[in-house]
Amino acid sequence: MIRVSIANPYEYELEFQQLKDAARTVLEGEGTKAGKVTLAFVDNPHIHRLNKQFLDHDEPTDVLTFPYTDPGAKTLEGEVVIGYEVAKEYAADRNHETNLELLLYVVHGCLHLCGYTDTDDKGEREMRAKEREYLTKLGLPDIAGG
């Protein structure tokens, strides 16, 4: 069984079930049989602080992923931290709903938990292709970019 929970400390208006379903779709699609994943939606100062602390990037970001188990572990555990304000800004710039941007970030973060990386050109191409695959499975438009 895959358990997906949501942490929403800033009480954003979220489509809880749709976000959980997106995470579950990716995890199951990547062969995860058992897991416990938390999706955390935070503000700019919060994600900025985490980005600086863990990646030494001095700015807010869209998604940070914290795997608590190795990819391929019997039970996958981890946390996907999503910058809500970043999503809202990008969605406005790209003319779509904030929720759609959040769903892309959930897909992206869950792919990271499953072992995908986007630190080089090949990895980034694979990641974008997988994002498109899951956006299509979820009946969502392709906003994966690049």
Side-chain angles (χ1 to χ4, degrees):
M1 179 171 81
I2 298 173
R3 293 192 348 232
V4 179
S5 61
I6 292 182
N8 186 20
Y10 302 97
E11 299 182 1
Y12 296 119
E13 201 169 302
L14 300 172
E15 300 290 333
F16 291 90
Q17 195 58 54
Q18 191 178 25
L19 294 162
K20 288 179 180 183
D21 290 346
R24 207 170 280 111
T25 296
V26 173
L27 298 171
E28 289 173 355
E30 294 301 313
T32 302
K33 303 285 185 234
K36 182 180 175 188
V37 173
T38 300
L39 308 174
F41 297 86
V42 300
D43 67 4
N44 274 348
H46 192 141
I47 202 156
H48 185 161
R49 187 171 54 253
L50 292 172
N51 201 21
K52 178 69 175 151
Q53 179 180 352
F54 291 99
L55 297 177
D56 201 27
H57 298 161
D58 197 10
E59 62 189 2
T61 190
D62 50 2
V63 182
L64 293 171
T65 306
F66 298 95
Y68 301 142
T69 55
D70 292 326
K74 187 174 179 181
T75 300
L76 177 73
E77 294 187 26
E79 185 170 4
V80 178
V81 181
I82 294 171
Y84 182 89
E85 292 169 319
V86 171
K88 190 172 182 173
E89 182 180 322
Y90 274 56
D93 288 349
R94 296 165 68 184
N95 270 340
H96 57 252
E97 296 294 318
T98 300
N99 188 59
L100 181 56
E101 193 75 14
L102 293 172
L103 288 163
L104 172 63
Y105 296 176
V106 167
V107 168
H108 184 86
C110 287
L111 287 169
H112 275 307
L113 285 181
C114 292
Y116 290 89
T117 63
D118 54 3
T119 53
D120 60 28
D121 289 343
K122 182 178 183 279
E124 190 170 341
R125 282 192 304 275
E126 283 180 359
M127 181 75 88
R128 294 295 97 74
K130 280 291 184 178
E131 287 170 355
R132 285 186 179 87
E133 175 186 328
Y134 286 110
L135 288 171
T136 298
K137 277 186 181 179
L138 292 163
L140 300 170
D142 176 5
I143 61 161

